[in-house]
Amino acid sequence: MIGEIIVLPKIIDPRGNLTVAEEMTNVPFKVSRVYWVYDVPGGESRGGHAHKHCREFIIAVSGSFDVTLDDGHGNKETFHLNHPYQGLLVETGLWRTLDDFSSGAVCLVLSSLPFEEEDYIRDYDDFLTYKKCLK
């Protein structure tokens, strides 16, 4: 298994449900950056990169989308995220793409590091070369 779905606490209340994500508790790292992706046009993809050092926790807070993880060694796994009380833990060195966004979907990402362009691998062939160099 390349990625890991983590179920977050879901507090059920007739006035509306509540879910909590806490760093170093159910998010297994210190959160340094939070961002969200929304208003993705039909048929568009997001992601299309890997991180050398940053870990991420991805949550579909509204709607749904697919996250495909690729380890660069022939192993790929696709996760359908559609519950705001579940998150996908994405470790370093994995190529990720986000596809098939439903209308109104919101993708929330908790990151272990602040934005650093040097941490990104944005070309798939460069990613494969990077993975070969790690062996």
Side-chain angles (χ1 to χ4, degrees), residues 27-134:
V27 177
F29 54 79
K30 183 179 182 310
V31 177
S32 293
R33 179 170 59 124
V34 176
Y35 64 92
W36 46 99
V37 179
Y38 55 96
D39 293 342
V40 177
E44 289 296 320
S45 292
R46 296 293 311 219
H49 65 269
H51 289 284
K52 298 174 190 172
H53 306 289
C54 185
R55 300 167 76 194
E56 293 184 330
F57 191 70
I58 302 173
I59 304 167
V61 293
S62 181
S64 65
F65 51 88
D66 292 337
V67 181
T68 300
L69 302 179
D70 178 343
D71 70 359
H73 301 295
N75 300 306
K76 291 184 181 181
E77 192 168 3
T78 299
F79 297 86
H80 183 68
L81 299 182
N82 63 346
H83 297 295
Y85 56 87
Q86 293 180 342
L88 175 63
L89 177 62
V90 181
E91 296 291 352
T92 61
L94 295 173
W95 188 265
R96 81 281 322 275
T97 56
L98 286 73
D99 298 291
D100 298 323
F101 282 80
S102 68
S103 178
V106 179
C107 169
L108 177 69
V109 182
L110 310 178
S111 296
S112 66
L113 296 172
F115 176 81
E116 296 174 15
E117 185 59 40
E118 303 79 36
D119 185 54
Y120 283 75
I121 305 170
R122 297 187 185 272
D123 179 82
Y124 188 73
D125 289 333
D126 291 345
F127 167 69
L128 293 178
T129 300
Y130 173 78
K131 293 299 281 193
K132 286 179 188 173
C133 291
L134 293 179

Side-chain angles (χ1 to χ4, degrees), residues 11-18:
I11 300 152
I12 298 172
D13 188 300
R15 301 169 297 162
N17 298 334
L18 178 117

